[in-house]
């Protein structure tokens, strides 16, 4: 087990390009398979993350401290962490996903069964699929807390995701703005909270939820 980045650790503005790779059964404190920090960049295509574990943030991937990661047609299956079961994005970091499939990932202690975005992190999803993800607390698939930009979700699908508290599919919390278009929500649920599909509770004024 590594302290951070169970398979790959990128720092000091490093750049990584990965195509047709598989990361499985890696374990770390943060970033079960990969951690990016300090302005690093990763471009991932047709990469599979399965059964990776982080004891804290980002079961498969942690994008941190002004770093950027993009995924094209990647799969995240059965990864787990305390927070951000598959992916954790925080502190001015950016994550963009196109065509990703997130299945059976779990935040076993806190928020974001598949993806957690906090502290000025940014997220963009296009044609992504979330099915069977689970969070002990909020955001069965996605959890947003003080993101840096409006989170944009287009042509996505959320099915059978479960949260222990709010937002069976998505929980957009403090300071969040969210734009969702042409996206399907089916059979998402909460155990004790509100918003089977989306819980929007930005607290501060000026935040917006747009669905079309």
């Amino acid at each position: 087990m590594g302290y951070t980045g169970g398979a790959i650790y990128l720092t000091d503005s490093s750049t990584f390009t990965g195509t047709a790779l598989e990361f499985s059964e890696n374990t770390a404190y943060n970033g079960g398979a990969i951690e990016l920090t300090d302005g690093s960049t990763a471009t991932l295509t047709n990469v599979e993350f399965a059964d990776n574990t982080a004891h804290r943030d980002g079961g498969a991937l942690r994008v941190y401290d002004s770093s950027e990661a993009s995924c094209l047609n990647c799969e995240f299956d059965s990864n787990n962490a305390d927070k951000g079961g598959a992916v954790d994005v925080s502190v001015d970091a950016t994550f963009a996903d196109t065509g990703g499939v997130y299945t059976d990932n779990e935040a076993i202690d806190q928020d974001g069964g598949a993806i957690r975005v906090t502290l000025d992190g940014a997220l963009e999803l296009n044609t992504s699929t979330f099915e069977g993800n689970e969070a002990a607390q909020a955001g069965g698939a996605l959890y947003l807390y003080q993101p840096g930009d409006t989170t944009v979700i287009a042509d996505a699908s959320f099915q059978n995701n479960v949260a222990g508290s709010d937002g069976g599919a998505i929980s957009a919390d403090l300071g969040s703005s969210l734009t969702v278009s042409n996206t399907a929500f089916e059979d998402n649920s909460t155990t004790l909270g509100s918003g089977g599909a989306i819980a929007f509770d930005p607290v501060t004024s000026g935040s917006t939820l747009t669905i079309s």
Side-chain angles (χ1 to χ4, degrees), residues 1-158:
M1 182 185 77
Y3 177 75
T4 188
I8 296 175
Y9 175 64
L10 302 168
T11 189
D12 296 332
S13 301
S14 301
T15 299
F16 173 69
T17 300
T19 302
L21 303 175
E22 180 179 347
F23 296 90
S24 62
E25 298 183 356
N26 299 284
T27 302
Y29 187 66
N30 291 312
I34 300 175
E35 162 129 358
L36 291 79
T37 189
D38 192 24
S40 296
T41 302
T43 303
L44 306 173
T45 304
N46 297 326
V47 174
E48 181 180 353
F49 297 88
D51 299 300
N52 300 286
T53 297
H55 294 297
R56 189 175 178 186
D57 303 340
L61 175 64
R62 188 190 191 207
V63 191
Y64 182 72
D65 190 16
S66 303
S67 296
E68 298 182 6
S70 64
C71 284
L72 174 63
N73 298 332
C74 295
E75 296 184 12
F76 295 82
D77 185 10
S78 301
N79 304 283
N80 69 85
D82 278 1
K83 300 168 284 186
V87 180
D88 193 82
V89 185
S90 64
V91 189
D92 296 304
T94 300
F95 181 63
D97 179 273
T98 300
V101 178
Y102 298 78
T103 307
D104 296 333
N105 301 285
E106 184 177 2
I108 61 176
D109 186 57
Q110 295 189 35
D111 310 303
I115 302 175
R116 185 184 79 129
V117 181
T118 65
L119 302 177
D120 295 320
L123 175 67
E124 183 173 339
L125 302 174
N126 187 22
T127 62
S128 306
T129 299
F130 297 83
E131 184 172 356
N133 302 285
E134 185 172 353
Q137 297 187 21
L142 306 180
Y143 177 71
L144 311 173
Y145 183 90
Q146 290 184 319
D149 296 305
T150 298
T151 298
V152 178
I153 301 171
D155 302 304
S157 174
F158 295 83

Side-chain angles (χ1 to χ4, degrees), residues 23 111 117 122 147 165 167 170 192 208:
F23 296 90
D111 310 303
V117 181
S165 59
I170 301 171
L192 297 173
T208 59

Side-chain angles (χ1 to χ4, degrees), residues 123 142 144 149-153 170-172 176-180 185 198-200 207-211:
L123 175 67
L142 306 180
L144 311 173
D149 296 305
T150 298
T151 298
V152 178
I153 301 171
I170 301 171
S171 176
S176 299
S177 288
L178 178 63
T179 298
V180 181
F185 295 87
I198 300 174
F200 185 70
S207 297
T208 59
L209 172 63
T210 304
I211 300 176

